[in-house]
Amino acid sequence: MTAQDVNRAGESSRTSLIYDPRVRSIFFQVLLILLLVFGIWWIVDNTIENLRRSNISTGFGFLRGRAGFDISVSLIPYSSDSTYGRAILVGLVNTLVVAVTGIITATILGFLVGVARLSRNWLLRQIATVYVEVFRNIPPLLVIFFWYLGVLSILPAPRDSIELPMGSYLNSRGFYFPRFIWEQGAWLVFAGFVVGLALTWFVARRARARQMATGQQFPVLWTGLGLIFGFPLLGFALAGFPLTLEFPVAGTFNLTGGVNVSPEFLSLYLALSFYTAAFIAEIVRAGILGVSGGQSEAAAALGLRPGKVLRLVIIPQALRIIIPPLTSQYLNLTKNSSLAVAIGYPDLYAIGGTILNQTGQAIEIVVIFMVIYLSISLLTSLFMNWFNARIALKER
């Protein structure tokens, strides 16, 4: 082989490497990674340099400093002498309370409205349609203002509070209800509740296995309710009824005692629940319509009533369509809770903004926001993906 042949073979080999899809794929991926690393380094380097020029210290040591401000709503012990880290924790707890209660309420209301959208009752169907079209086409911030300024702020003053059953009151300063004060031995009540939940889970599994094997149904719902409420009541009696109630007492200018739910929390909770429920209703309606009509016809041919057809045949199959977009609505509700700053509810974003103004640690506060909201979103998605895999149809 001559030198000319060797050079020609080398050029052919290099040309084949250039046009090899696998080689080009690796090359462009490495190039993209290098560009990303360079971009991140450039941003970090410029940030550090700008902070140095402004004489701003970095790090999270400020979280150990004294906060020096009060928080109107706190479910955990907190005072102005607490640290900034404690204040962030209070905001996180307040955000989680709004998110969890809002998700539960929006899910229940959304399912009811979604089913009502397909009702044969004309009036019920039209009411559900109007509800969806109204709340779905209004920005969530306006819905919050509607509940805060248009509903709760026009309630009577404390001296003219609306008296509700069970020693509760409603006025412009919020909702008041009795406080439960547990005494010694109350652990038996909570232990009974845990035992009731465990037995309900066991009964449900056994009942499902029995139904799959023999076709016979077992009243799981009523049995579970009996276990969940029966065992705590038994523990309550065995412990000697270790509970006293502190009722709110109406005064001249305000109510004392009991538990107060602030109007800011009520406004945010109701607004996010009603707003998100409109979207969930459409998801539920789409999921039900996605089930083949032959399924309901076959169930009706077996003699099942419409209620059982919906509960046992349609909804279980529709859940496969409902769950994925439902996850997005849960995430949206959690992130929309940051609108609480507009009405003064001390959620994570509002408290973080106060800390930022006092310390000037903008980058650290934004990083805390990102990490917390990202963690909440990932945990929500992880749970919903697990639940979606549990209800997926599996071949026997």
Side-chain angles (χ1 to χ4, degrees):
M1 180 178 294
T2 64
Q4 186 177 4
D5 293 334
V6 172
N7 291 335
R8 189 178 295 111
E11 292 177 359
S12 176
S13 175
R14 288 192 296 272
T15 303
S16 63
L17 287 176
I18 293 175
Y19 290 101
D20 187 349
R22 186 172 62 86
V23 174
R24 285 191 300 173
S25 174
I26 295 175
F27 171 76
F28 284 114
Q29 290 182 56
V30 172
L31 179 62
L32 178 61
I33 292 174
L34 291 176
L35 290 175
L36 288 174
V37 171
F38 174 77
I40 294 173
W41 172 84
W42 181 80
I43 292 173
V44 172
D45 182 68
N46 276 279
T47 301
I48 294 175
E49 180 63 22
N50 291 332
L51 291 173
R52 185 185 63 79
R53 291 178 180 177
S54 302
N55 293 323
I56 298 177
S57 60
T58 59
F60 294 91
F62 72 96
L63 293 175
R64 294 189 294 271
R66 179 178 178 272
F69 61 89
D70 293 321
I71 299 177
S72 58
V73 179
S74 177
L75 297 179
I76 60 177
Y78 174 85
S79 69
S80 59
D81 293 326
S82 300
T83 62
Y84 286 122
R86 187 72 174 184
I88 290 285
L89 182 60
V90 171
L92 172 60
V93 172
N94 290 344
T95 296
L96 291 177
V97 170
V98 170
V100 173
T101 55
I103 284 173
I104 294 173
T105 305
T107 302
I108 297 173
L109 182 59
F111 264 81
L112 293 177
V113 175
V115 173
R117 287 268 281 151
L118 301 173
S119 173
R120 296 179 182 178
N121 187 307
W122 181 86
L123 180 60
L124 183 61
R125 187 171 64 251
Q126 296 305 315
I127 292 175
T129 301
V130 170
Y131 168 84
V132 170
E133 295 302 328
V134 168
F135 280 96
R136 193 175 58 166
N137 293 290
I138 298 178
L141 185 58
L142 292 183
V143 181
I144 294 174
F145 284 146
F146 164 75
W147 283 104
Y148 188 63
L149 301 175
V151 177
L152 296 177
S153 65
I154 62 175
L155 289 173
R159 68 175 63 185
D160 300 318
S161 298
I162 301 173
E163 189 170 356
L164 301 174
M166 304 295 295
S168 303
Y169 294 89
L170 183 65
N171 56 48
S172 59
R173 296 187 182 179
F175 174 61
Y176 294 79
F177 62 92
R179 181 192 303 273
F180 287 11
I181 302 177
W182 296 99
E183 301 172 356
Q184 188 176 4
W187 65 271
L188 285 174
V189 179
F190 300 101
F193 179 72
V194 173
V195 172
L197 284 178
L199 290 177
T200 300
W201 175 80
F202 177 76
V203 169
R205 285 183 61 89
R206 295 295 300 173
R208 181 176 178 82
R210 175 191 176 190
Q211 183 177 355
M212 295 297 292
T214 65
Q216 296 179 353
Q217 291 184 335
F218 186 80
V220 177
L221 176 62
W222 296 110
T223 304
L225 290 176
L227 292 172
I228 292 175
F229 287 99
F231 275 93
L233 289 176
L234 179 61
F236 188 64
L238 292 176
F241 305 98
L243 174 66
T244 56
L245 296 178
E246 180 187 85
F247 289 90
V249 179
T252 305
F253 301 103
N254 202 355
L255 281 80
T256 57
V259 178
N260 170 236
V261 181
S262 68
E264 291 79 17
F265 172 82
L266 289 175
S267 302
L268 186 66
Y269 158 70
L270 292 173
L272 295 182
S273 299
F274 277 74
Y275 176 78
T276 309
F279 292 89
I280 293 178
E282 287 298 277
I283 293 173
V284 171
R285 185 176 72 93
I288 293 175
L289 292 176
V291 178
S292 173
Q295 297 291 319
S296 56
E297 293 174 358
L302 293 174
L304 293 178
R305 296 181 178 180
K308 283 194 172 184
V309 172
L310 181 66
R311 182 168 57 89
L312 300 177
V313 179
I314 304 301
I315 294 299
Q317 298 183 68
L319 284 176
R320 295 177 297 153
I321 306 173
I322 294 172
I323 294 300
L326 188 63
T327 305
S328 299
Q329 294 305 318
Y330 289 170
L331 299 180
N332 289 339
L333 188 150
T334 302
K335 290 179 285 188
N336 285 338
S337 66
S338 61
L339 295 173
V341 68
I343 57 174
Y345 178 73
D347 75 321
L348 174 66
Y349 183 79
I351 293 177
T354 302
I355 297 175
L356 189 153
N357 292 331
Q358 290 190 359
T359 63
Q361 306 291 147
I363 295 177
E364 290 82 355
I365 294 297
V366 172
V367 169
I368 291 174
F369 286 163
M370 293 173 61
V371 170
I372 290 178
Y373 281 113
L374 179 62
S375 300
I376 294 174
S377 298
L378 291 177
L379 290 175
T380 303
S381 300
L382 183 65
F383 172 78
M384 294 301 292
N385 289 335
W386 169 82
F387 182 68
N388 189 38
R390 289 279 298 177
I391 66 172
L393 292 180
K394 300 180 179 65
E395 295 184 4
R396 296 185 181 180

